[in-house]
Amino acid sequence: SLVTATVCSPKNDAALAFDGGVGGLGKVKPNTGIKFRDSDASPRLVTAFSGGEMVTNELVAPDGTIALVTFEAPWPLLQSPGQIEARDLQNPESAFVQVAELSKEDIPKYSNKAEFLPKSFYVDTVFGSNGKFGAYGAPYDVSIKKVTAGDAGTATTIVAATFTTLTPGLRESPRKVYISSSIVGNGVFMMVTGTTQNRFKSQEDVLRGVAESFRAIEAPKSGLSSTRS
């Protein structure tokens, strides 16, 4: 049977994330840990295919290791500085990349395999108050379970997570995502793709395909030209 990790946080914790703004309700800029090989404004290499775009980037792990990161994006790639995000402009489906650091003690513990990462790692990173979903307060009612990797690479681990986040109007928004993870150097490279819970079932095949397309490997020493075609 699958073991799940559930974290419940008080809903009024959201107040801790506000940073001024109209009526005192401000948005916190997410920290996704993205560092491009060339610069924070590095363009993305995008290759079109029948189902969307193949997004390729060279990113830098916290210890300086260069990682070649790719995934298939069925939605437009947003041109946000320091971010890698594709989003359906008409619906809540999206995918984004996040990088988190492993401590020196954790590197040998996990044997460079994301499958050994504890569920608390995702709670602290993807679902932390500094993450993409924490703009108006850390997500709560987080439940995480490992799922089969399917067609993902052997170095990729996939987990499914349900959680509740807050909208700019401070309304609850139950969501479900897949998180694909690989370790390169001392960095955990993650691609998060999902939607609202009420749309997840109808979009599951698309989201699963995005999750399984994710790859993060150490880049060839020769390097890849970070240009957009």
Side-chain angles (χ1 to χ4, degrees):
S1 60
L2 292 170
V3 179
T4 63
T6 302
V7 177
C8 299
S9 300
K11 297 176 184 178
N12 59 7
D13 278 357
L16 300 177
F18 296 145
D19 186 25
V22 179
L25 302 184
K27 181 179 179 180
V28 175
K29 183 178 180 179
N31 177 15
T32 54
I34 296 293
K35 183 179 180 181
F36 293 102
R37 184 197 65 177
D38 296 331
S39 71
D40 287 343
S42 173
R44 291 76 161 159
L45 177 64
V46 178
T47 304
F49 66 100
S50 59
E53 298 177 325
M54 176 66 74
V55 181
T56 304
N57 291 271
E58 280 194 332
L59 303 180
V60 184
D63 65 358
T65 303
I66 307 299
L68 182 63
V69 178
T70 65
F71 68 96
E72 294 178 2
W75 317 291
L77 187 67
L78 304 184
Q79 294 301 309
S80 302
Q83 307 287 323
I84 303 174
E85 180 178 8
R87 184 186 303 167
D88 187 325
L89 302 181
Q90 304 299 322
N91 293 296
E93 289 79 62
S94 66
F96 66 89
V97 175
Q98 181 168 342
V99 183
E101 183 176 1
L102 287 177
S103 67
K104 291 181 179 179
E105 295 76 18
D106 286 339
I107 294 175
K109 185 190 305 182
Y110 303 135
S111 303
N112 291 324
K113 293 184 178 179
E115 63 182 294
F116 298 129
L117 291 170
K119 297 179 178 65
S120 60
F121 178 86
Y122 299 106
V123 172
D124 294 339
T125 56
V126 176
F127 303 113
S129 59
N130 292 327
K132 199 80 168 173
F133 299 112
Y136 300 97
Y140 46 90
D141 296 338
V142 181
S143 181
I144 301 171
K145 66 178 182 180
K146 290 184 178 180
V147 298
T148 57
D151 293 332
T154 57
T156 302
T157 293
I158 301 177
V159 301
T162 58
F163 60 99
T164 300
T165 189
L166 295 174
T167 68
L170 300 188
R171 294 182 179 180
E172 295 182 335
S173 177
R175 303 183 69 90
K176 185 170 183 178
V177 299
Y178 287 122
I179 306 172
S180 306
S181 307
S182 293
I183 297 176
V184 179
N186 72 337
V188 180
F189 291 78
M190 298 171 282
M191 196 275 300
V192 184
T193 183
T195 186
T196 55
Q197 281 199 38
N198 62 357
R199 284 182 58 85
F200 186 87
K201 188 172 182 179
S202 66
Q203 301 298 313
E204 186 170 7
D205 288 346
V206 172
L207 297 171
R208 182 73 190 202
V210 176
E212 293 183 7
S213 73
F214 178 75
R215 303 287 188 275
I217 61 172
E218 186 169 353
K221 300 302 180 183
S222 60
L224 171 74
S225 177
S226 294
T227 56
R228 183 175 184 130
S229 58

